Amino acid sequence: MAGEHVRVGRTRVAKNERSKRQERAERILDAAAELIQRWGYKKTAVDDIARLAGVAKGTIYLHWKTREDLFAALLLRESVETLRAMQERVERDPAGMYLSNITQHAMYVIMTRPLARALYIGDVSVLGELLQSGQDDLGIISQQKMLTNREMFTLYRERGLLRTDQSVTAQIKICSAIVVGFMSVDQYLPAELHSSPEENIELLAATLHAAVEPAEPVAPEVLQDLRATWERVFQQFLRLLEERLQKEVE
C-alpha cells in the first residue's frame, strides 16, 4: 500500500508540473501574440516577450529552442483556435454545408482575428520572414489544408454542390482568388468604396456561389449526409494540429 501511495503522489506531482509548464507556455504565447500584432515579427524580440509574460528570457528557451520555433507554435495555436471557432459556427447553421456558407463562416472568424487574417493572407508586415522560415508546423498546416481542400472539393462535385464543368484545380484557384481578393481589396480602393467586414463577407459568399456552385439547391438529405463526412475530414485535420500543439506546450 505504501508503494502505491508513493506512485500516486509522484503521478500527481508530475501532472502538476506539466500543468504549470503548460500554463507558462500559454502565457508566453499570449505575450508573443500581443507583441507581433503590435510591432510585427521582425521587431518582436524574445526579451520583450519574456518581460510581458513575466518570465526570464532563458525560460522561453526551455520551451522552444529558437525564436522561430516559438512563433511557429504561436501560429499553430492560432490555427487551432480559428478552426474551433469556425466549426462552432458551421455546426449552428442548417445550410452550413454549402461551400459558400462554410467560407462565409470561416472568413468571419478570420476577419475578427488579426493574427489569423495575417496568416491566411500571408501578411508580410506582420509575419515577415517567418512565412519563409521553413518551419515544419507551418509546412504541415499548408500541405494538409491543400489535401483537405482537394478531397472536399471532389466530394462536393460528386454530391452536386459544385459545378462539374470546371476542374477541381481550377475551382480551388477560383475560390482562393475570390477569398484573398475580398480580404485585401479595400487597400486598393478609395475610402468611399470601402465596406464593413460583414458586407465584404456577404459579397464574398455571393460571389463564390455564382462562380462555382450550381443554381439549384440540393436535397436536404444530401446536406445531412455530407455534414457527417465533412465533420470527419475536418476533425481529422483539427486533431492533427491539436496533437502537434499539445507537444509544443507540454
Side-chain angles (χ1 to χ4, degrees), residues 152-170:
M152 293 307 298
F153 270 67
T154 301
L155 177 62
Y156 271 48
R157 289 160 64 90
E158 293 172 353
R159 298 297 183 89
L161 275 81
L162 286 176
R163 291 163 48 182
T164 56
D165 59 333
Q166 304 160 323
S167 69
V168 174
T169 298

Side-chain angles (χ1 to χ4, degrees), residues 119-190:
L119 177 59
Y120 190 89
I121 67 173
D123 190 340
V124 176
S125 67
V126 176
L127 302 180
E129 60 268 27
L130 182 62
L131 293 170
Q132 290 82 38
S133 65
Q135 292 292 313
D136 289 343
D137 282 327
L138 299 184
I140 288 173
I141 293 171
S142 177
Q143 182 183 43
Q144 189 63 35
K145 186 188 299 181
M146 183 55 66
L147 291 174
T148 302
N149 279 346
R150 186 168 291 277
E151 180 179 349
M152 293 307 298
F153 270 67
T154 301
L155 177 62
Y156 271 48
R157 289 160 64 90
E158 293 172 353
R159 298 297 183 89
L161 275 81
L162 286 176
R163 291 163 48 182
T164 56
D165 59 333
Q166 304 160 323
S167 69
V168 174
T169 298
Q171 287 178 333
I172 291 176
K173 288 182 178 179
I174 290 169
C175 293
S176 298
I178 290 172
V179 170
V180 173
F182 271 100
M183 291 184 70
S184 58
V185 66
D186 279 352
Q187 64 183 303
Y188 303 108
L189 296 175

Side-chain angles (χ1 to χ4, degrees), residues 58-166:
T59 301
I60 292 181
Y61 291 112
L62 293 177
H63 291 271
W64 299 281
K65 293 181 179 179
T66 68
R67 174 174 174 269
E68 290 74 19
D69 289 341
L70 163 62
F71 280 102
L74 172 63
L75 296 185
L76 178 60
R77 187 182 71 163
E78 184 65 24
S79 295
V80 168
E81 293 178 353
T82 299
L83 287 173
R84 288 172 180 167
M86 170 189 165
Q87 182 183 28
E88 290 179 4
R89 291 182 61 88
V90 172
E91 288 179 347
R92 293 197 303 264
D93 184 356
M97 284 301 96
Y98 285 98
L99 179 65
S100 53
N101 291 80
I102 289 177
T103 305
Q104 187 172 8
H105 292 306
M107 289 305 105
Y108 179 84
V109 173
I110 289 172
M111 292 292 282
T112 55
R113 300 180 66 96
L115 193 54
R117 184 179 185 278
L119 177 59
Y120 190 89
I121 67 173
D123 190 340
V124 176
S125 67
V126 176
L127 302 180
E129 60 268 27
L130 182 62
L131 293 170
Q132 290 82 38
S133 65
Q135 292 292 313
D136 289 343
D137 282 327
L138 299 184
I140 288 173
I141 293 171
S142 177
Q143 182 183 43
Q144 189 63 35
K145 186 188 299 181
M146 183 55 66
L147 291 174
T148 302
N149 279 346
R150 186 168 291 277
E151 180 179 349
M152 293 307 298
F153 270 67
T154 301
L155 177 62
Y156 271 48
R157 289 160 64 90
E158 293 172 353
R159 298 297 183 89
L161 275 81
L162 286 176
R163 291 163 48 182
T164 56
D165 59 333
Q166 304 160 323

Side-chain angles (χ1 to χ4, degrees), residues 211-236:
V212 299
E213 292 179 338
E216 296 298 323
V218 301
E221 56 268 24
V222 173
L223 290 179
Q224 186 175 354
D225 290 343
L226 189 61
R227 184 178 291 273
T229 303
W230 182 87
E231 289 176 353
R232 175 184 58 80
V233 175
F234 188 91
Q235 283 297 330
Q236 184 179 4

